[in-house]
Amino acid sequence: MDKASIRVQLFRVEHGEGAEPLEQLLACIQADAIADRVRRCNLVDYRLEDIVAPVGRGTLWELNFVRMRDAHGPGRVSKAKKLAGFNLAENEYFGEDTAVLYDSATRYAVIQYNHWGVRVSGLEQYLSQYRSDVVNIYDFKPKLDLDAERRFKNQKIVRRVEVGIDLTKMQAADLEAGQSLTDMAEIGTKTGADRLYITLTIGSSDRKSKLKNAAKKLLTAVRKNLDDDAILRLSSYGAAEPEQDFEVVDLLEHKLEETEQAPVGTDRRITFTDRVKALKRAKGKWKGVMQD
């Protein structure tokens, strides 16, 4: 049986003020019929399709999110036959799925990376807007290794941030990250550029002078929503306090990611069960960093 590689990434889920615990929302979704779980996010239909709740005193939720792809999709092809489309009914779509392990005890989420599936920004939107009667805001923050995470988090005085993006490797879904990424992509499109480098810096000699919080939020949005292949540079230069030495934290070099192998079936798909097994293997490797 053939095997394929699955990229797995680690995120910490933060709840907005007044938001219900995520596991409570997941139980609510599980109680809904599958047809009632569809939510439209940025003109795309998403659904939390498979939900395996923890048993007994367990805290691990196994989840499978599906994106209904109604634009140009894959076809059937062989070495002897040309590419041909599938015959789909009017109410049928191509489906792309993303497996997630959520630990309600630690609020860490181990997520399968699927470029065409539900991305992290889509997960946030789907879960945050699922209930119209509750103000739920969930933020999935990507994890770095412990040392880099600590240094980036402690940078209260940020003097310079650098972002480099390969615009040819950005997809329309990447712009779900927000207005900052959209604006940057438009700059490249209008000028005919295929690569874009932006440096935001403050030139004051006063060591207390710093960029606004939006600078760090921009870095977080880029590393959370863009494929690593599309990010050419991503760094923050600063210090915890004005009197301390300024240093560069490279957010590309220290991003946590594992690659796991999983069997591919005759339908050229990896089952939800096998993807969950791959996520659990990656989770086991990250025991040391899954802490506050």
Side-chain angles (χ1 to χ4, degrees), residues 6-53:
I6 296 178
R7 292 172 56 190
V8 183
Q9 299 171 341
L10 183 63
F11 294 80
R12 180 71 182 274
V13 182
E14 295 193 356
H15 298 59
E17 185 177 355
E20 62 185 329
L22 182 53
E23 60 270 24
Q24 186 173 321
L25 174 64
L26 294 176
C28 172
I29 298 174
Q30 188 176 33
D32 288 342
I34 193 167
D36 296 331
R37 298 180 190 175
V38 178
R39 294 292 183 274
R40 195 157 185 82
C41 306
N42 283 333
L43 304 180
V44 178
D45 286 332
Y46 293 151
R47 176 171 64 208
L48 177 46
E49 189 152 303
D50 299 296
I51 306 174
V52 180

Short mmCIF file of all heavy atoms in Angstrom, two decimals, residues 6-53:
data_model
loop_
_atom_site.label_atom_id
_atom_site.label_comp_id
_atom_site.label_asym_id
_atom_site.label_seq_id
_atom_site.Cartn_x
_atom_site.Cartn_y
_atom_site.Cartn_z
N ILE A 6 2.02 13.60 5.64
CA ILE A 6 1.07 14.56 6.20
C ILE A 6 1.84 15.57 7.04
O ILE A 6 2.61 15.19 7.92
CB ILE A 6 0.02 13.87 7.10
CG1 ILE A 6 -0.84 12.92 6.29
CG2 ILE A 6 -0.86 14.90 7.80
CD1 ILE A 6 -1.86 12.17 7.14
N ARG A 7 1.65 16.83 6.75
CA ARG A 7 2.27 17.88 7.55
C ARG A 7 1.37 18.19 8.73
O ARG A 7 0.15 18.36 8.58
CB ARG A 7 2.49 19.13 6.71
CG ARG A 7 3.54 18.95 5.62
CD ARG A 7 3.59 20.14 4.70
NE ARG A 7 3.84 21.37 5.42
CZ ARG A 7 3.75 22.58 4.87
NH1 ARG A 7 3.38 22.69 3.59
NH2 ARG A 7 4.01 23.66 5.57
N VAL A 8 1.95 18.24 9.92
CA VAL A 8 1.19 18.44 11.15
C VAL A 8 1.76 19.63 11.90
O VAL A 8 2.98 19.76 12.06
CB VAL A 8 1.25 17.18 12.04
CG1 VAL A 8 0.38 17.36 13.28
CG2 VAL A 8 0.82 15.94 11.26
N GLN A 9 0.87 20.51 12.36
CA GLN A 9 1.30 21.72 13.06
C GLN A 9 0.58 21.85 14.39
O GLN A 9 -0.50 21.29 14.59
CB GLN A 9 1.02 22.95 12.17
CG GLN A 9 1.78 22.90 10.85
CD GLN A 9 1.36 23.98 9.88
OE1 GLN A 9 0.28 24.56 9.99
NE2 GLN A 9 2.22 24.26 8.90
N LEU A 10 1.20 22.60 15.31
CA LEU A 10 0.68 22.73 16.67
C LEU A 10 0.21 24.15 16.94
O LEU A 10 0.91 25.12 16.63
CB LEU A 10 1.77 22.35 17.68
CG LEU A 10 1.38 22.36 19.16
CD1 LEU A 10 0.28 21.33 19.44
CD2 LEU A 10 2.60 22.07 20.03
N PHE A 11 -0.98 24.26 17.55
CA PHE A 11 -1.57 25.56 17.86
C PHE A 11 -2.13 25.55 19.28
O PHE A 11 -2.52 24.51 19.80
CB PHE A 11 -2.71 25.90 16.89
CG PHE A 11 -2.26 26.10 15.47
CD1 PHE A 11 -2.01 25.02 14.65
CD2 PHE A 11 -2.08 27.37 14.96
CE1 PHE A 11 -1.58 25.20 13.34
CE2 PHE A 11 -1.67 27.57 13.65
CZ PHE A 11 -1.41 26.48 12.84
N ARG A 12 -2.18 26.72 19.88
CA ARG A 12 -2.82 26.89 21.18
C ARG A 12 -4.11 27.68 20.95
O ARG A 12 -4.08 28.74 20.29
CB ARG A 12 -1.90 27.64 22.15
CG ARG A 12 -2.51 27.86 23.54
CD ARG A 12 -2.59 26.56 24.33
NE ARG A 12 -3.21 26.72 25.64
CZ ARG A 12 -2.55 27.10 26.73
NH1 ARG A 12 -1.25 27.36 26.68
NH2 ARG A 12 -3.18 27.20 27.88
N VAL A 13 -5.21 27.18 21.49
CA VAL A 13 -6.51 27.82 21.29
C VAL A 13 -6.79 28.77 22.44
O VAL A 13 -6.79 28.37 23.60
CB VAL A 13 -7.64 26.78 21.18
CG1 VAL A 13 -8.97 27.48 20.91
CG2 VAL A 13 -7.33 25.78 20.07
N GLU A 14 -7.04 30.03 22.11
CA GLU A 14 -7.39 31.03 23.12
C GLU A 14 -8.84 31.46 22.93
O GLU A 14 -9.30 31.64 21.81
CB GLU A 14 -6.45 32.23 23.04
CG GLU A 14 -5.00 31.88 23.37
CD GLU A 14 -4.15 33.11 23.60
OE1 GLU A 14 -4.68 34.24 23.42
OE2 GLU A 14 -2.97 32.95 23.94
N HIS A 15 -9.54 31.59 24.05
CA HIS A 15 -10.95 31.97 24.03
C HIS A 15 -11.09 33.47 24.24
O HIS A 15 -10.41 34.05 25.09
CB HIS A 15 -11.72 31.25 25.14
CG HIS A 15 -11.73 29.76 25.02
ND1 HIS A 15 -10.59 28.99 25.01
CD2 HIS A 15 -12.76 28.89 24.89
CE1 HIS A 15 -10.90 27.72 24.91
NE2 HIS A 15 -12.21 27.62 24.83
N GLY A 16 -11.98 34.08 23.48
CA GLY A 16 -12.29 35.48 23.71
C GLY A 16 -13.11 35.64 24.98
O GLY A 16 -13.68 34.68 25.50
N GLU A 17 -13.18 36.87 25.46
CA GLU A 17 -13.91 37.15 26.70
C GLU A 17 -15.38 36.77 26.52
O GLU A 17 -16.05 37.18 25.57
CB GLU A 17 -13.79 38.63 27.06
CG GLU A 17 -14.44 38.99 28.38
CD GLU A 17 -14.23 40.45 28.75
OE1 GLU A 17 -13.51 41.15 28.03
OE2 GLU A 17 -14.82 40.87 29.77
N GLY A 18 -15.88 35.95 27.43
CA GLY A 18 -17.28 35.54 27.39
C GLY A 18 -17.56 34.33 26.52
O GLY A 18 -18.70 33.84 26.48
N ALA A 19 -16.55 33.82 25.80
CA ALA A 19 -16.75 32.66 24.93
C ALA A 19 -16.93 31.40 25.78
O ALA A 19 -16.30 31.25 26.83
CB ALA A 19 -15.58 32.49 23.99
N GLU A 20 -17.77 30.51 25.32
CA GLU A 20 -17.96 29.26 26.03
C GLU A 20 -16.76 28.34 25.77
O GLU A 20 -16.08 28.48 24.74
CB GLU A 20 -19.25 28.57 25.58
CG GLU A 20 -19.29 28.19 24.11
CD GLU A 20 -20.63 27.62 23.69
OE1 GLU A 20 -21.30 26.99 24.53
OE2 GLU A 20 -21.02 27.82 22.52
N PRO A 21 -16.45 27.43 26.68
CA PRO A 21 -15.34 26.49 26.44
C PRO A 21 -15.54 25.78 25.11
O PRO A 21 -16.67 25.40 24.75
CB PRO A 21 -15.46 25.52 27.62
CG PRO A 21 -16.14 26.31 28.70
CD PRO A 21 -17.10 27.21 27.98
N LEU A 22 -14.47 25.58 24.37
CA LEU A 22 -14.59 25.00 23.03
C LEU A 22 -15.23 23.63 23.08
O LEU A 22 -16.01 23.26 22.20
CB LEU A 22 -13.21 24.94 22.37
CG LEU A 22 -13.18 24.39 20.93
CD1 LEU A 22 -14.15 25.15 20.03
CD2 LEU A 22 -11.76 24.47 20.37
N GLU A 23 -14.90 22.83 24.11
CA GLU A 23 -15.48 21.49 24.20
C GLU A 23 -17.00 21.55 24.35
O GLU A 23 -17.72 20.65 23.90
CB GLU A 23 -14.85 20.69 25.34
CG GLU A 23 -15.00 21.29 26.71
CD GLU A 23 -13.88 22.23 27.10
OE1 GLU A 23 -13.23 22.78 26.19
OE2 GLU A 23 -13.65 22.40 28.32
N GLN A 24 -17.50 22.61 24.97
CA GLN A 24 -18.95 22.78 25.10
C GLN A 24 -19.58 23.05 23.74
O GLN A 24 -20.65 22.52 23.41
CB GLN A 24 -19.24 23.93 26.06
CG GLN A 24 -20.70 24.13 26.40
CD GLN A 24 -20.90 25.17 27.49
OE1 GLN A 24 -20.14 25.25 28.45
NE2 GLN A 24 -21.93 26.00 27.33
N LEU A 25 -18.89 23.88 22.93
CA LEU A 25 -19.39 24.14 21.58
C LEU A 25 -19.33 22.87 20.74
O LEU A 25 -20.25 22.58 19.97
CB LEU A 25 -18.56 25.24 20.92
CG LEU A 25 -18.88 25.51 19.44
CD1 LEU A 25 -20.31 26.03 19.29
CD2 LEU A 25 -17.89 26.50 18.84
N LEU A 26 -18.26 22.10 20.87
CA LEU A 26 -18.13 20.86 20.09
C LEU A 26 -19.26 19.89 20.41
O LEU A 26 -19.80 19.23 19.52
CB LEU A 26 -16.77 20.21 20.37
CG LEU A 26 -15.54 21.00 19.90
CD1 LEU A 26 -14.27 20.30 20.33
CD2 LEU A 26 -15.56 21.20 18.39
N ALA A 27 -19.64 19.81 21.68
CA ALA A 27 -20.75 18.95 22.06
C ALA A 27 -22.05 19.45 21.45
O ALA A 27 -22.91 18.66 21.03
CB ALA A 27 -20.86 18.90 23.59
N CYS A 28 -22.19 20.76 21.37
CA CYS A 28 -23.38 21.37 20.75
C CYS A 28 -23.44 21.01 19.27
O CYS A 28 -24.50 20.63 18.75
CB CYS A 28 -23.35 22.88 20.95
SG CYS A 28 -24.61 23.80 20.05
N ILE A 29 -22.31 21.11 18.58
CA ILE A 29 -22.26 20.80 17.16
C ILE A 29 -22.56 19.32 16.95
O ILE A 29 -23.28 18.93 16.00
CB ILE A 29 -20.88 21.15 16.57
CG1 ILE A 29 -20.62 22.66 16.70
CG2 ILE A 29 -20.79 20.73 15.11
CD1 ILE A 29 -19.23 23.09 16.28
N GLN A 30 -22.02 18.47 17.81
CA GLN A 30 -22.23 17.03 17.68
C GLN A 30 -23.71 16.67 17.77
O GLN A 30 -24.17 15.72 17.14
CB GLN A 30 -21.43 16.30 18.76
CG GLN A 30 -21.42 14.78 18.60
CD GLN A 30 -20.53 14.12 19.64
OE1 GLN A 30 -20.42 14.60 20.77
NE2 GLN A 30 -19.90 13.03 19.27
N ALA A 31 -24.46 17.44 18.53
CA ALA A 31 -25.88 17.16 18.71
C ALA A 31 -26.70 17.58 17.48
O ALA A 31 -27.85 17.14 17.32
CB ALA A 31 -26.41 17.88 19.94
N ASP A 32 -26.13 18.41 16.61
CA ASP A 32 -26.85 18.87 15.42
C ASP A 32 -26.76 17.83 14.31
O ASP A 32 -25.76 17.11 14.18
CB ASP A 32 -26.25 20.19 14.91
CG ASP A 32 -26.59 21.36 15.81
OD1 ASP A 32 -27.54 21.24 16.61
OD2 ASP A 32 -25.90 22.40 15.72
N ALA A 33 -27.80 17.79 13.48
CA ALA A 33 -27.77 16.92 12.30
C ALA A 33 -26.69 17.41 11.35
O ALA A 33 -26.35 18.60 11.32
CB ALA A 33 -29.13 16.95 11.61
N ILE A 34 -26.15 16.50 10.55
CA ILE A 34 -25.00 16.85 9.70
C ILE A 34 -25.34 17.97 8.73
O ILE A 34 -24.51 18.84 8.45
CB ILE A 34 -24.48 15.59 8.97
CG1 ILE A 34 -23.11 15.89 8.36
CG2 ILE A 34 -25.47 15.10 7.94
CD1 ILE A 34 -22.39 14.65 7.89
N ALA A 35 -26.58 18.00 8.23
CA ALA A 35 -26.97 19.05 7.29
C ALA A 35 -27.05 20.42 7.96
O ALA A 35 -26.91 21.45 7.30
CB ALA A 35 -28.32 18.70 6.66
N ASP A 36 -27.27 20.42 9.28
CA ASP A 36 -27.39 21.68 10.02
C ASP A 36 -26.05 22.22 10.48
O ASP A 36 -25.98 23.29 11.09
CB ASP A 36 -28.29 21.49 11.24
CG ASP A 36 -29.72 21.13 10.85
OD1 ASP A 36 -30.14 21.56 9.76
OD2 ASP A 36 -30.40 20.43 11.62
N ARG A 37 -24.97 21.49 10.22
CA ARG A 37 -23.64 21.93 10.68
C ARG A 37 -22.91 22.80 9.66
O ARG A 37 -21.83 23.31 9.93
CB ARG A 37 -22.76 20.71 10.98
CG ARG A 37 -23.27 19.81 12.08
CD ARG A 37 -22.32 18.65 12.28
NE ARG A 37 -22.85 17.62 13.17
CZ ARG A 37 -22.25 16.47 13.42
NH1 ARG A 37 -21.09 16.20 12.84
NH2 ARG A 37 -22.80 15.58 14.23
N VAL A 38 -23.47 22.98 8.50
CA VAL A 38 -22.80 23.76 7.45
C VAL A 38 -22.86 25.25 7.79
O VAL A 38 -23.91 25.77 8.16
CB VAL A 38 -23.46 23.51 6.08
CG1 VAL A 38 -22.79 24.36 5.00
CG2 VAL A 38 -23.39 22.03 5.71
N ARG A 39 -21.71 25.90 7.66
CA ARG A 39 -21.63 27.35 7.86
C ARG A 39 -20.84 27.95 6.70
O ARG A 39 -19.84 27.38 6.26
CB ARG A 39 -20.94 27.70 9.18
CG ARG A 39 -21.71 27.26 10.42
CD ARG A 39 -23.00 28.05 10.58
NE ARG A 39 -23.71 27.69 11.81
CZ ARG A 39 -24.56 26.65 11.93
NH1 ARG A 39 -24.78 25.88 10.88
NH2 ARG A 39 -25.16 26.41 13.07
N ARG A 40 -21.27 29.11 6.23
CA ARG A 40 -20.59 29.76 5.11
C ARG A 40 -19.60 30.79 5.66
O ARG A 40 -19.99 31.73 6.36
CB ARG A 40 -21.60 30.43 4.18
CG ARG A 40 -21.01 30.81 2.82
CD ARG A 40 -22.11 30.94 1.79
NE ARG A 40 -21.58 31.20 0.45
CZ ARG A 40 -21.13 30.26 -0.37
NH1 ARG A 40 -21.11 29.01 0.03
NH2 ARG A 40 -20.69 30.57 -1.56
N CYS A 41 -18.34 30.61 5.33
CA CYS A 41 -17.27 31.49 5.78
C CYS A 41 -16.49 31.99 4.57
O CYS A 41 -15.93 31.18 3.83
CB CYS A 41 -16.33 30.75 6.74
SG CYS A 41 -17.14 29.97 8.15
N ASN A 42 -16.49 33.29 4.36
CA ASN A 42 -15.80 33.87 3.20
C ASN A 42 -16.21 33.19 1.90
O ASN A 42 -15.37 32.78 1.08
CB ASN A 42 -14.28 33.78 3.38
CG ASN A 42 -13.76 34.82 4.34
OD1 ASN A 42 -14.34 35.88 4.49
ND2 ASN A 42 -12.67 34.51 5.01
N LEU A 43 -17.51 33.05 1.71
CA LEU A 43 -18.11 32.52 0.48
C LEU A 43 -17.80 31.05 0.25
O LEU A 43 -17.95 30.54 -0.87
CB LEU A 43 -17.65 33.34 -0.74
CG LEU A 43 -17.92 34.85 -0.67
CD1 LEU A 43 -17.41 35.54 -1.93
CD2 LEU A 43 -19.41 35.13 -0.48
N VAL A 44 -17.37 30.34 1.29
CA VAL A 44 -17.08 28.91 1.19
C VAL A 44 -17.85 28.19 2.29
O VAL A 44 -17.93 28.66 3.42
CB VAL A 44 -15.57 28.62 1.34
CG1 VAL A 44 -15.30 27.12 1.27
CG2 VAL A 44 -14.78 29.34 0.26
N ASP A 45 -18.43 27.03 1.95
CA ASP A 45 -19.17 26.24 2.93
C ASP A 45 -18.24 25.29 3.67
O ASP A 45 -17.51 24.49 3.03
CB ASP A 45 -20.28 25.44 2.25
CG ASP A 45 -21.45 26.31 1.83
OD1 ASP A 45 -21.67 27.35 2.48
OD2 ASP A 45 -22.14 25.96 0.85
N TYR A 46 -18.27 25.35 5.00
CA TYR A 46 -17.49 24.47 5.86
C TYR A 46 -18.44 23.64 6.73
O TYR A 46 -19.56 24.06 7.02
CB TYR A 46 -16.58 25.27 6.80
CG TYR A 46 -15.47 26.04 6.13
CD1 TYR A 46 -14.98 27.22 6.69
CD2 TYR A 46 -14.87 25.59 4.96
CE1 TYR A 46 -13.95 27.92 6.11
CE2 TYR A 46 -13.85 26.29 4.36
CZ TYR A 46 -13.38 27.46 4.94
OH TYR A 46 -12.36 28.15 4.36
N ARG A 47 -17.96 22.48 7.17
CA ARG A 47 -18.74 21.66 8.08
C ARG A 47 -17.81 20.83 8.96
O ARG A 47 -16.82 20.28 8.47
CB ARG A 47 -19.67 20.72 7.31
CG ARG A 47 -20.45 19.76 8.22
CD ARG A 47 -21.51 19.00 7.46
NE ARG A 47 -20.96 18.13 6.45
CZ ARG A 47 -21.59 17.78 5.34
NH1 ARG A 47 -22.80 18.26 5.08
NH2 ARG A 47 -21.03 16.97 4.47
N LEU A 48 -18.13 20.76 10.24
CA LEU A 48 -17.44 19.83 11.13
C LEU A 48 -18.17 18.51 10.98
O LEU A 48 -19.27 18.32 11.50
CB LEU A 48 -17.48 20.33 12.58
CG LEU A 48 -16.86 19.42 13.64
CD1 LEU A 48 -15.52 18.87 13.21
CD2 LEU A 48 -16.74 20.16 14.96
N GLU A 49 -17.57 17.58 10.26
CA GLU A 49 -18.27 16.39 9.80
C GLU A 49 -18.15 15.22 10.78
O GLU A 49 -19.13 14.54 11.08
CB GLU A 49 -17.73 15.98 8.43
CG GLU A 49 -18.53 14.89 7.77
CD GLU A 49 -18.43 14.97 6.25
OE1 GLU A 49 -18.77 16.04 5.69
OE2 GLU A 49 -18.02 13.99 5.64
N ASP A 50 -16.95 14.95 11.25
CA ASP A 50 -16.72 13.84 12.17
C ASP A 50 -16.31 14.38 13.53
O ASP A 50 -15.39 15.20 13.63
CB ASP A 50 -15.62 12.91 11.64
CG ASP A 50 -15.99 12.30 10.29
OD1 ASP A 50 -16.97 11.55 10.25
OD2 ASP A 50 -15.29 12.59 9.30
N ILE A 51 -16.97 13.92 14.58
CA ILE A 51 -16.65 14.34 15.95
C ILE A 51 -16.60 13.09 16.83
O ILE A 51 -17.60 12.41 17.02
CB ILE A 51 -17.72 15.30 16.51
CG1 ILE A 51 -17.93 16.50 15.57
CG2 ILE A 51 -17.32 15.79 17.90
CD1 ILE A 51 -19.07 17.41 16.01
N VAL A 52 -15.41 12.80 17.34
CA VAL A 52 -15.26 11.70 18.29
C VAL A 52 -14.92 12.32 19.64
O VAL A 52 -13.81 12.83 19.84
CB VAL A 52 -14.15 10.72 17.85
CG1 VAL A 52 -14.02 9.58 18.87
CG2 VAL A 52 -14.45 10.17 16.46
N ALA A 53 -15.89 12.30 20.54
CA ALA A 53 -15.71 12.92 21.85
C ALA A 53 -14.86 12.02 22.75
O ALA A 53 -14.83 10.80 22.57
CB ALA A 53 -17.07 13.17 22.49
#
